[in-house]
Amino acid sequence: MPEQQCPLFVSLEGGEGAGKTSLIVALKAALEAKGLSVVSTREPGGTPLGEVIRQWLLNHDASIKIGNTAELLLFLAVRAQHIEDVIAPALREGKVVLCDRFNDSTIAYQGAARGLGVDFVQQLCASVCKEVVPSITLYLDVDPSIGLRRTRRATKENAATGMVDRIESEKLAFHMAVRDAMLQQAKASPERMHIIDASQSRAHVFEKAM
Ligand code: TMP
C-alpha cells in the first residue's frame, strides 16, 4: 500500500463471509492515518442508482425473476455509473480508491458460476471499464462452507442485516465455482491479484493486506 498520495485503484474480492467489508474499514483508517486521501466504495452500489439496483439484485422477492443475462447487465449498469460518478473523478483527484468487489466478481459469479462464459464476461467488463481498472486486487480466499457459515451466523446474530440475500442463498456448488474462478483469475494475473488466506484472523488478514 502507498506511503505517498497518488491515484491508486484497489479492489477487494472474496466469496461470501470472507471479511472484505471489515478489511476495507481497517485499510481506509490505516491509509488515512498516513495522510492519504481515501475513497471507499462498493459494488453493487456506490451511487444512488447503484444502491437502488443493489436492492433489485440482492433482494429476496421471488416474484421478481432476474435471468442470468439481465443480472449480468444490471451489475454492469451499476459499474458504468460508479466509474463515471465516483471512481474516475476520485482517481483524477489523485485519491486512493478502495472498492469492495469489481470485475473479478462479475467474471467469477456471472461468467463462471452462472455459466455465461468467462471470456464473454471479461470482454464486456473491458468495454464498460476501458482504462479504469484496479492496479491491485486483494482476493480474500476462504473455503465457501466456512464463509457461508460466517455469513449465516452474522445474519442470525444481527437482525439488522436481514435475510440471507438472493446470491448468498445459492447452493454450495455455486460458491465453489466462484472460488475456483477467482483462483484461476489470480493465477492468470499474479502481478495484479494477490491471494490472502481469509480463514486466518482479521489481524493476520490486515497485516497481509498492508
Ligand atoms: P456483498 O456486497 O455483500 O459482497 O454482496 C454482493 C453480492 O453480489 C455477492 O454475492 C457477489 C455478487 N456480485 C455478483 O454476482 N456480480 C458482481 O459483479 C458483483 C459486483 C457482485
Side-chain angles (χ1 to χ4, degrees):
M1 289 289 168
E3 294 288 333
Q4 285 186 337
Q5 190 73 58
C6 57
L8 180 69
F9 184 8
V10 181
S11 62
L12 285 93
E13 298 283 2
E16 316 302 321
K20 293 176 285 92
T21 310
S22 42
L23 177 60
I24 286 195
V25 171
L27 283 179
K28 182 171 193 282
L31 294 173
E32 285 176 343
K34 289 185 181 181
L36 298 173
S37 187
V38 181
V39 171
S40 72
T41 188
R42 68 170 179 180
E43 289 208 8
T47 65
L49 176 69
E51 291 297 331
V52 169
I53 297 179
R54 181 182 175 94
Q55 293 306 316
W56 300 348
L57 281 164
L58 301 184
N59 80 25
H60 227 68
D61 185 346
S63 70
I64 300 175
K65 183 184 170 222
I66 304 179
N68 291 346
T69 303
E71 180 183 89
L72 167 67
L73 295 175
L74 286 169
F75 278 113
L76 292 178
V78 171
R79 188 149 312 139
Q81 198 68 40
H82 195 197
I83 289 173
E84 192 173 318
D85 292 352
V86 177
I87 299 174
L91 295 173
R92 278 198 297 273
E93 288 167 18
K95 295 182 177 165
V96 176
V97 175
L98 300 178
C99 189
D100 187 340
R101 298 195 183 278
F102 203 71
N103 285 342
D104 295 295
S105 281
T106 320
I107 295 162
Y109 282 81
Q110 282 65 51
R114 292 284 195 227
L116 291 175
V118 163
D119 291 346
F120 168 66
V121 172
Q122 228 155 14
Q123 280 163 22
L124 278 183
C125 289
S127 305
V128 169
C129 300
K130 305 196 173 70
E131 76 286 359
V132 185
V133 286
S135 40
I136 300 176
T137 298
L138 304 176
Y139 168 54
L140 273 54
D141 181 48
V142 68
D143 183 321
S145 53
I146 298 174
L148 288 167
R149 213 177 305 133
R150 283 182 185 165
T151 312
R152 286 170 188 160
R153 198 183 317 126
T155 307
K156 227 180 190 173
E157 281 167 6
N158 179 6
T161 60
M163 298 155 66
V164 171
D165 72 40
R166 196 174 65 85
I167 296 181
E168 274 163 10
S169 58
E170 287 292 339
K171 294 194 174 70
L172 184 60
F174 176 91
H175 295 285
M176 304 282 263
V178 168
R179 185 192 195 192
D180 286 349
M182 287 283 189
L183 289 170
Q184 275 185 32
Q185 283 153 230
K187 206 169 156 197
S189 309
E191 63 303 326
R192 171 182 65 87
M193 203 161 168
H194 306 274
I195 303 174
I196 298 178
D197 179 359
S199 66
Q200 302 287 319
S201 69
R202 276 189 194 181
H204 172 91
V205 170
F206 174 72
E207 193 188 309
K208 291 280 169 201
M210 284 299 285

